[in-house]
Amino acid sequence: MKKLFSLILVLSLVFSLAACGSKPTEPSTPAEPTAPVEPEKPAEPEIKSADLQAFYEKTFVNENMPMMGVMDSEMLDAFYAGLTALELKQCIVAMPMISAVAAEVALVEVANADDLAKVEEIFKARITSQVEGGAFYPATIEVWEKNAEIITHGNTVMMICMDP
């Protein structure tokens, strides 16, 4: 009985080893050489449009800021000549209610990136006119001269002048 059991055990091991075998594979033909694949360049990040009105209200409308009035198109033509002629997605320009305060904010998003330089030039002209006497008071002229700044990001341009 022990011999029979040993024989069955040996046969089961032999068959289990035979089941694990595989057929020999035929040699494969070498693959055609292909051109090296260049890695994909990362896509340019898309700059999304911001809600300039919400930004203005959150940043510049509070008890620490002077009372500002948003300019209509007639005022824009007088103080920012050429701005209303451009195709703008958003435009908020605010100035203080009294001239003795040196504060002004202009937020513009252009529809066409080619107009960015034009908006920057219009903002520079506004700063220059204020520095050259448009701000009237020596203290406000000094604020325009030292603190006015133009910042461009994507299709948005901001001109800000504030007394620190």
Side-chain angles (χ1 to χ4, degrees):
M1 186 65 138
K2 286 184 181 181
K3 286 185 183 186
L4 182 62
F5 181 71
S6 297
L7 180 62
I8 292 174
L9 184 60
V10 168
L11 287 176
S12 64
L13 289 173
V14 169
F15 287 123
S16 66
L17 288 175
C20 292
S22 62
K23 293 182 181 178
T25 58
E26 296 181 18
S28 62
T29 58
E32 297 270 331
T34 59
V37 178
E38 292 184 29
E40 273 189 43
K41 294 179 182 175
E44 292 285 322
E46 182 181 334
I47 298 176
K48 295 185 179 184
S49 182
D51 182 351
L52 297 183
Q53 182 67 40
F55 174 77
Y56 169 75
E57 289 172 4
K58 184 176 181 178
T59 309
F60 300 105
V61 179
N62 60 57
E63 65 278 351
N64 298 322
M65 298 296 289
M67 181 67 103
M68 305 277 273
V70 176
M71 292 185 192
D72 60 17
S73 61
E74 188 177 316
M75 289 180 71
L76 284 173
D77 287 337
F79 294 107
Y80 291 85
L83 191 61
T84 59
L86 301 174
E87 185 180 349
L88 307 176
K89 285 185 173 182
Q90 302 179 70
C91 178
I92 299 162
V93 180
M95 63 188 317
M97 298 294 200
I98 58 172
S99 62
V101 177
E104 201 157 305
V105 176
L107 305 166
V108 173
E109 181 182 14
V110 296
N112 183 349
D114 295 337
D115 290 336
L116 284 171
K118 294 174 188 171
V119 173
E120 290 172 348
E121 286 303 315
I122 292 168
F123 287 175
K124 287 176 188 174
R126 175 65 177 156
I127 293 169
T128 300
S129 73
Q130 292 297 89
V131 168
E132 292 177 350
F136 191 69
Y137 301 104
T140 54
I141 290 172
E142 184 178 350
V143 171
W144 275 93
E145 191 171 43
K146 292 182 178 177
N147 299 328
E149 189 173 353
I150 299 170
I151 301 166
T152 302
H153 180 73
N155 281 358
T156 305
V157 184
M158 176 174 81
M159 190 275 308
I160 183 168
C161 177
M162 292 283 168
D163 193 5

